[in-house]
Amino acid sequence: MIRRLAVIGVGLIGGSLARALRAANAVEEVIGCGRAPANLARARELGVIDRFTQDPAAAAADADMVFIAVPLGAMRDIFATIAPRLAPEAVVTDGGSVKGSVVADAVSVVGRAPPWLVPGHPIAGTEHSGVEASFAELYRGRRVILTPLSETDNTALERVTQMWECCGAEVTTMSVAHHDEILAATSHLPHMLAFGLVDTLSRMHEHEDIFRYAAGGFRDFTRIASSNPVMWRDICLANREALSAMLARFSVEMTDLAESIRRADAERLLSIFERAKQARDQQVERARSA
Amino acid sequence: MIRRLAVIGVGLIGGSLARALRAANAVEEVIGCGRAPANLARARELGVIDRFTQDPAAAAADADMVFIAVPLGAMRDIFATIAPRLAPEAVVTDGGSVKGSVVADAVSVVGRAPPWLVPGHPIAGTEHSGVEASFAELYRGRRVILTPLSETDNTALERVTQMWECCGAEVTTMSVAHHDEILAATSHLPHMLAFGLVDTLSRMHEHEDIFRYAAGGFRDFTRIASSNPVMWRDICLANREALSAMLARFSVEMTDLAESIRRADAERLLSIFERAKQARDQQVERARSA
Ligand SMILES: NC(=O)c1ccc[n+]([C@@H]2O[C@H](COP(=O)([O-])OP(=O)(O)OC[C@H]3O[C@@H](n4cnc5c(N)ncnc54)[C@H](OP(=O)(O)O)[C@@H]3O)[C@@H](O)[C@H]2O)c1
Ligand SMILES: NC(=O)c1ccc[n+]([C@@H]2O[C@H](COP(=O)([O-])OP(=O)(O)OC[C@H]3O[C@@H](n4cnc5c(N)ncnc54)[C@H](OP(=O)(O)O)[C@@H]3O)[C@@H](O)[C@H]2O)c1
């Protein structure tokens, strides 16, 4: 049971955690923190938080659990503000989409990897932002990756694991670097493709006609291009290296594909498409039977 | 009212047309044609067709409407087989995803653009194939693009338009070249990205882990990579020029994006993502209010 939860950044991710813990009766009091009082007042109105402050240090003081769910570019300042004010038993975790940058931010502020920090990332989300988009079921049946360091306190790790399990999530741990590589492949690269595709089309002369004749498949494919631009700018900057490596890999693949089309290499095209279909179908099959 | 409809290629597209016309009571008899008797027997069992033959000429003879829905690479042989056997009042149309190649195939067989041919393309589909995947509602509320030539008979165009309207579709006409460019942008390029992405990931060392940690967004994004490889090979070959041009455009965009990430150009990244999000949100808004 969490006595006092501080949610710094009461948007989709932070708001959904608060809702889920409340629904599970796993938290006594929730303090929200953000920049815009209007958003926070709305969060209180929706019953997501009990009270709020615009000062992260005030929110964190006397909390036994602090959850940071702001865009990655805002993490460092939050650490700098809250670190000196944390209660001795306080545990801090976050929902940031990149883990290397969050750890680096904490280290740069505290001077070493803090034992109270459990870096985390729920593999769940939608293309919508803000507390209005949050819902208690977001994490049910989804994975949460925690990337504890050797310095991380075991009890802290245990408490964060339990918190996510209360939300119906399945918790796994892995290294920071592995997390950032895997996410570059499965999430960050696809978002770049969706943003890049829609931007390419929107800058074409015939873009009105193009969007008019787009079918349902196009809307699904580009859904993630409706995601929050600030959040994605920060993810790109935070996971620069792994994402650049993935973009380079993908570019090699696309050059090969474009070359095969140009020289009408029917066999090569068929083998690429068959391999991809097989991998995708297998993945769906596994997800179904899991 | 269609007296006898010949459907050559009783799969997702051909089967769904037959089902929709039957549901609308707009056809008296449906003859199916394909290569595998088992598929055709299944189509009859499902009530999609009344009888079948493996000979396209036999299917087309005495039909007043012929619908060709085979992969693009098979179109030319079908034209060669049926052209000499068509009834004088017969109209032929197709569902192929590229129109330039279909017209070229017909011209190469007949010696000129045949007045009885109305090239067409329903902007509807799923990632599944075969008659089992077909359903009567596939075309309801969707667009069908017809690309008549100056040689196309006006009555033929009118009859094909009515046929699609019976299925609940909205019919528009445009030039062959415009169709192939627009579809390269909204459908063929996105399919290349989805196939290319899944193939890139499946060839990575950690592919098991990668697919395991893929979230719902990834599954939506890659849904179209489960599409029929033969059909997509044929689309690539048939729309080589327009698709190559789109791939080149997209590659310029991605090089810019990758460069912006590499040099941590926060402003440029934000402006690309904002432009894309705005275009996508607008498109969804328009589709909703249409
Ligand atoms: N969306 C997803 O699919 C997803 C999935 C997994 C992880 N994540 C990660 O979760 C985090 C939050 O994403 P989200 O989707 O929940 O975004 P969101 O809905 O936009 O919420 C972010 C919240 O942070 C607040 N905020 C922004 N800048 C702040 C600052 N400098 N100081 C204090 N509060 C600030 C915002 O409120 P004010 O504007 O009022 O300050 C807002 O309530 C990000 O790190 C993201 O990478 C997102
Ligand atoms: N799927 C989509 O989303 C979509 C959307 C719009 C347009 N299209 C176009 O519609 C056409 C059909 O696609 P589909 O999705 O309906 O494919 P499908 O479900 O695989 O059906 C194709 C049918 O054609 C038959 N066939 C294949 N090769 C043939 C040949 N050489 N001679 C005679 N029959 C042959 C197949 O049966 P047998 O194997 O028994 O011969 C099968 O029943 C393609 O040109 C495609 O570009 C597809």
Side-chain angles (χ1 to χ4, degrees), chain A residues 142 178 186 199 203 209-210 216 219-223 226 240 253 261-262 275 277 280-281, chain B residues 142 178 186 199 203 209-210 216 219-223 226 240 253 261-262 275 277 280-281:
Chain A
R142 313 306 292 272
H178 193 53
T186 54
D199 190 42
R203 292 187 303 119
D209 242 25
I210 286 174
R219 270 194 285 283
D220 280 356
F221 187 78
T222 59
R223 186 172 63 76
S226 284
R240 219 138 65 90
E253 172 98 20
I261 291 171
R262 204 146 30 220
R275 210 162 47 197
K277 178 179 168 57
R280 168 82 179 27
D281 288 351
Chain B
R142 313 305 293 269
H178 192 54
T186 54
D199 190 42
R203 293 187 303 120
D209 242 26
I210 286 174
R219 271 194 286 282
D220 280 357
F221 186 79
T222 58
R223 187 171 61 77
S226 285
R240 218 138 64 89
E253 171 98 20
I261 291 171
R262 206 146 27 222
R275 212 161 46 198
K277 178 180 169 55
R280 168 80 181 27
D281 288 351

Side-chain angles (χ1 to χ4, degrees), chain A residues 9-13 35-36 39 69-71 74 95 97 121-122 124-126 130 228 231:
Chain A
V10 190
L12 170 68
I13 296 299
R35 295 166 309 179
N39 290 343
V70 298
S97 306
H121 180 202
T126 74
N228 185 339
M231 168 178 148

Side-chain angles (χ1 to χ4, degrees), chain A residues 85-106:
Chain A
R85 297 280 297 277
L86 291 171
E89 80 284 9
V91 170
V92 178
T93 187
D94 76 302
S97 306
V98 180
K99 302 278 45 91
S101 69
V102 170
V103 168
D105 286 345

